Amino acid sequence: MRELFDNYFAFATTVFMGLLAIVNPISAIPVFLELTSNMDKPSRRNIATKSVLIAFFIIAVFSVAGKLIFHVFGITLAALRVTGGILVFVIGYEMVRGKAEEKQHSKLGDQPVKADQGISAAITPLAMPLLAGPGTITTSMSYSAAKDVYHLLIVMAVYALICYITYLLFIAGDKIVKVIGSNVMMVITKMMGLILAVIGVQMLALGAMELFKL
C-alpha cells in the first residue's frame, strides 16, 4: 500500500512540475494585467475565473478523450511523446531566449483589449494558448493516455491546482509585480524555460525508445 502511494505521489509530483513549468503562471501575470488594465477589480476577478475554468475544461476534454483521439486517428503514445517532446523543448528554448514573450507582448500591445471585450480575452489569449496551449495539451495527454483512471484523475487534479494557483496570482498581479520586480520575473521565466526544455528532451527520449523499441 505504501509503495502504491509512493508511486502515485511521485507521478503527481512529476505532473505538477511538468505542467507548472509549461503553464508558467507567473509569466502570464503581465499579460493578464495588460488585458484587464481598463477593468475594475470585480471585472478582473470575473475574467480570471472564466479564463482558468475554460483552460481546465480544455485540458480535461483532451485528457479524458486522449485514448479515443489516438484510436480515431491511429496515433501511438510513442509518436505523441516524440512530437510533444520536440514541441515542449522548443517552447522552453524560446522562454530561455525570451523571444516568445517579446512576440506575445508586441502582439497584445497592437490590439489592446477593453473591459467590454473581457470575455474574449478570457478565452484568447488567457485560456488558450497561455494556460492551455499546445504544449500543455500535449503534456497532459501524454501523462494520462497510457495510465489507469487514477493517473488520469491525478493529472486533472494537478492541473486544477495549477489553475487555482494561477487565479490567485492573477488577482494579486499588481502586488506581485511591485514586490518582485520585472527583472526577477524574467529570471523566473527563464528558469522555468530551462526546466521545460529538459522535460521536453526526456519526453523525446522516452518516445524514441518506445517508437524504435530500443
Side-chain angles (χ1 to χ4, degrees):
M1 186 69 180
R2 178 62 182 274
E3 183 178 355
L4 185 63
F5 174 79
D6 290 340
N7 289 336
Y8 284 140
F9 181 78
F11 177 75
T13 302
T14 301
V15 174
F16 179 79
M17 292 303 298
L19 290 178
L20 183 65
I22 196 168
V23 173
N24 194 9
I26 293 181
S27 66
I29 293 176
V31 181
F32 174 79
L33 294 178
E34 178 183 350
L35 292 173
T36 59
S37 59
N38 297 326
M39 301 181 188
D40 54 17
K41 288 186 178 180
S43 297
R44 283 189 176 187
R45 189 180 299 272
N46 184 36
I47 297 305
T49 301
K50 289 179 179 178
S51 63
V52 296
L53 288 178
I54 293 171
F56 177 77
F57 175 77
I58 293 172
I59 296 302
V61 168
F62 277 96
S63 296
V64 173
K67 291 183 178 180
L68 177 61
I69 294 174
F70 287 170
H71 177 72
V72 171
F73 293 98
I75 302 172
T76 64
L77 179 61
L80 175 67
R81 283 179 173 166
V82 170
T83 306
I86 295 173
L87 179 61
V88 169
F89 173 81
V90 170
I91 294 174
Y93 177 75
E94 290 181 345
M95 287 170 60
V96 174
R97 290 287 301 274
K99 291 184 177 181
E101 187 175 355
E102 292 175 4
K103 292 179 180 178
Q104 190 177 61
H105 285 172
S106 62
K107 185 180 296 184
L108 291 173
D110 295 337
Q111 298 178 348
V113 179
K114 298 182 180 179
D116 58 351
Q117 298 172 304
I119 184 61
S120 176
I123 299 173
T124 304
L126 289 177
M128 192 177 207
L130 281 183
L131 303 182
T136 310
I137 293 173
T138 304
T139 303
S140 62
M141 286 180 63
S142 177
Y143 281 133
S144 60
K147 306 296 180 179
D148 56 33
V149 65
Y150 296 107
H151 288 83
L152 172 62
L153 292 176
I154 288 174
V155 172
M156 296 179 63
V158 166
Y159 189 72
L161 175 61
I162 293 176
C163 285
Y164 181 67
I165 293 173
T166 303
Y167 169 80
L168 295 179
L169 291 175
F170 281 171
I171 297 302
D174 290 324
K175 296 179 181 178
I176 293 173
V177 172
K178 290 180 180 179
V179 172
I180 68 177
S182 58
N183 290 334
V184 176
M185 289 187 64
M186 181 178 65
V187 171
I188 293 175
T189 298
K190 290 184 180 295
M191 289 177 59
M192 299 297 271
L194 178 61
I195 295 175
L196 198 57
V198 174
I199 292 174
V201 172
Q202 185 178 31
M203 288 177 60
L204 175 61
L206 291 174
M209 290 176 64
E210 294 178 8
L211 193 62
F212 299 105
K213 298 180 180 180
L214 299 178

